[in-house]
Each structure stands twice: as structure tokens, then as C-alpha cells.
Amino acid sequence: MTKIQQDLEDLTQKATSALIACEDAAALEAWRVAYIGRSGLIPGLLRNIKDLSDEEKRTVGSAANALKRELEEKYQEQLHVIEKGASTRGVQATNCKLQAGGGHLHPLTLTLNRVHEIFSAMGFIIADGPEVEEVKFNFDLLNTPAEHPARGAGDTFMVDPMSVNGAEDLVLRTQTSPMQIRSVAAMQLHPPFSVIAPGRVFRKEKVDATHESTFHQFEGLSISETTSIADFKSVIETFFSAFFHADVVIRLRPSYFPFVEPGFEVDMSCVFCKDGCRVCKHTKWIEVMGAGMVHPNVLKNMNIDPDKYQGYAFGGAIDRLAMIQYGINDIRLFWSGDVRFLRQFDRVIPAKAGIQVDPPSRRAGVDAGSSPA
Ligand code: PHE
């Protein structure tokens, strides 16, 4: 690049940013004189062209002329804006103001807050833990055998030891279940206790309308000497009823997770219909979480005596709850950053603290709502 070409580029940058900064007619006139006026910098540059070779004259000359035309056009635009009474700065400031006034919570945050609120009202304490997790917590201590398919690199994001000072055996947690073990240890919980741990999880999913590689779960754990499946059923029914402001019934189907025995899939009665609709795929039931009674091996890993204590654990997806609640049909919208999607939540009133949740009369045995000892 010749010196004159370099000067031309520098000048373009300088002239453009100086033009944007012009807030009123006086500033704009000063800019015009300095850059495109008869004795301004651009004509000055054009005058220097005469010293160049014929070849250079052609290329640099046409570039300089194009720049001059472009700046003249921009000048006219800016003049128009200023004459209309709104400098570019003013416009930007107005936008900022609008954004500040119109800010609102993301639908996932709204949903997460509601989950917090309802479980807190039932006496669950809230725990938070790491997203980059040790294989030990994500799998081993959760009774997941070494040959379990979920442990493979096909399903799980492995953390490259080179990126974490050589630390081995780290993964992006595939579930919030490691928080079962972690929260008991970190908070030195002794039964009876009930804890809820919401957070982000990661899986190597093929992303489509219902699957994301990053989503959010809430893990629940409740342990005492007598906690039963009936307790679980009533607490979860209370939760979904409060969440959807409806009389929700839940049903359990047998399922398998290595860290619970027995394990089940939890369905809730459809809150949108009585006879079947699109949301429940005409089954009248909506699948909402995995759960089960904590496996004795896992209790041992929590240093809790399985001969004396028992309890349930569950894991639901916040994203799925938000989709059901707001009628969102594509999970990818959450991360899309599309303001047309997000703006629809600007009227949603954030959950208030101190919600009252009526315990269902069927709740028996341990009071899952009691605070940890
Ligand atoms: N961690 C399980 C999942 O991600 C859900 C679960 C949690 C199942 C607790 C049972 C008990 O699918």
C-alpha cells in the first residue's frame, strides 16, 4: 500500500467517526469545512495526486473521489438528522433509555424463580454447584458403572486437561444429580432435610426443536427416616399445582436411573385439556421429570446410613417447564437472542417472594417441608 493510500484509509476512518460525533448544525459545519470543504483534508489529498505516477493516479484518484462522494452523502444524511432535531447521539441516548426502561427477565429466569419460590415455601433449601464437574460426582458417586453409555464421549462433553492446568476427569455436568452428593457434603446436612439445586447442564445432543446441548435442570433431594414415595408424590403434586395454578395430578411410571431404586418417570395431568390436546399429544399426560428413591449406595456415598434413612430424588428440566407454561414450541428460541421472542415476556410479572403453598392433606410421614436439622 502506498503512503497516499494509507493516508486515504486513515482519513476515511477519522472523517466517519468525527461525522457521527456531530451533534448540532455548528459542529457539522465545522466538520464539512475540515474534511470536504474546498480547503479541507479530502480535497487536499486529491491535490497531492498530481505527484503520483499515471498508474497510481488512476487507482488512488478514483478511490479518493469515491470517498469524497461517500462523505458528501453522509454529510447530507447527518444534516437531515440534525435538522429534524435529533442528533445521532440523541437517538442513541433515547434508545438506551428505552432499553433501560423496558428491561425484563428472560423466560427461563422467570421459570427458575418460580421453581425456587415454590420449593422454598415447602421448606426446601436451595443449593448451587459447579457446571464443570468431576467424573466422580457426575457418575461414580451416583452409582453409575464405568461401562454406562452416558459416560462416553459420545454423550458427554469432556474437559480437555490442557485447558485446566492438567486436571483430569472433568466433564461439563450432564445433570444436576451430582448436587445430591455435593450439597449434603458442602452444607453438612443431616436428615431430615430437603434440598433443591437448580442449574445449567450440558449434553451432546443433536439440537432440534425439543433438544438443546445446554439446558437447565432442578434437582431435588429429601431424606429422613420415613420419607416415602407417597411423600414424593404429594410434594410434586403440590409443586406442579402451584406452578400451573391448577389441580394437577401426577402419575409414576417405572424407569431406570442408576442412582435410584425404584426409579420412575413422572407425568402430570395435562393442564390445558380434559380430553387430549396437542400439548399432551392427546394422552392427557405430560412427562415432566425423572425421579426415584435414593439408592442405598448413593446414601452411603453421602455418609448417610441406608439402614436408618431413606428418601427421594428428582430431576426436572426448567426449559421444559417454561415451554409448557408459555406454549413455546422450539427450545432453540431460548438462546436465539431474538428480541421478537423475548419481548413477549416483558409483561410477565416476576414471582413474588413469600408465596403460600398449601400442603396437600394426603401428605404423610415425614414433613418434607421441614428445614434441615
Ligand atoms: N438426573 C436424571 C436425568 O437427568 C433425572 C433424575 C434425577 C432421575 C434424580 C432420578 C433422580 O435424567
Side-chain angles (χ1 to χ4, degrees), residues 202-236:
F202 310 85
R203 286 184 198 171
K204 277 195 191 166
E205 294 275 6
K206 197 166 170 297
V207 176
D208 60 24
T210 50
H211 297 88
E212 253 293 4
S213 53
T214 301
F215 59 102
H216 305 76
Q217 287 191 327
F218 56 103
E219 191 79 14
L221 176 71
S222 186
I223 297 187
S224 78
E225 284 182 38
T226 55
T227 301
S228 65
I229 296 178
D231 294 320
F232 168 71
K233 204 161 175 265
S234 69
V235 163
I236 291 306

Side-chain angles (χ1 to χ4, degrees), residues 4-130:
I4 191 158
Q5 278 173 320
Q6 181 66 53
D7 288 350
L8 202 63
E9 262 189 22
D10 293 348
L11 199 55
T12 311
Q13 291 242 333
K14 235 168 93 184
T16 315
S17 45
L19 182 64
I20 294 169
C22 292
E23 283 185 67
D24 53 29
L28 189 62
E29 178 56 15
W31 180 90
R32 190 192 65 77
V33 172
Y35 287 96
I36 55 175
R38 209 175 310 145
S39 36
L41 289 166
I42 305 283
L45 198 82
L46 279 166
R47 275 193 290 278
N48 289 340
I49 286 177
K50 67 178 185 327
D51 305 327
L52 301 175
S53 69
D54 282 354
E55 164 93 37
E56 283 175 326
K57 259 187 207 145
R58 255 194 307 279
T59 50
V60 179
S62 71
N65 273 314
L67 171 65
K68 186 163 175 259
R69 270 197 308 277
E70 191 189 317
L71 287 177
E72 276 165 356
E73 264 170 40
K74 284 193 174 152
Y75 163 78
Q76 289 297 338
E77 279 169 24
Q78 187 75 348
L79 187 63
H80 184 66
V81 170
I82 289 175
E83 279 172 353
K84 266 177 61 190
S87 70
T88 36
R89 268 261 179 84
V91 170
Q92 282 166 3
T94 316
N95 280 343
C96 289
K97 243 186 250 156
L98 278 178
Q99 278 169 9
H104 58 87
L105 298 179
H106 189 279
L108 288 175
T109 312
L110 290 164
T111 308
L112 174 71
N113 289 352
R114 186 109 184 97
V115 170
H116 272 179
E117 182 188 58
I118 300 170
F119 279 109
S120 300
M122 291 195 284
F124 280 69
I125 45 172
I126 295 167
D128 190 20

Side-chain angles (χ1 to χ4, degrees), residues 160-168:
D160 180 359
M162 296 291 282
S163 65
V164 279
N165 292 334
E168 306 241 346

Side-chain angles (χ1 to χ4, degrees), residues 175 177 180 203 217 219 257 259-260 290-292 313-315:
Q175 51 188 355
S177 298
Q180 292 181 25
R203 286 184 198 171
Q217 287 191 327
E219 191 79 14
F257 302 94
F259 32 92
V260 286
F314 56 86

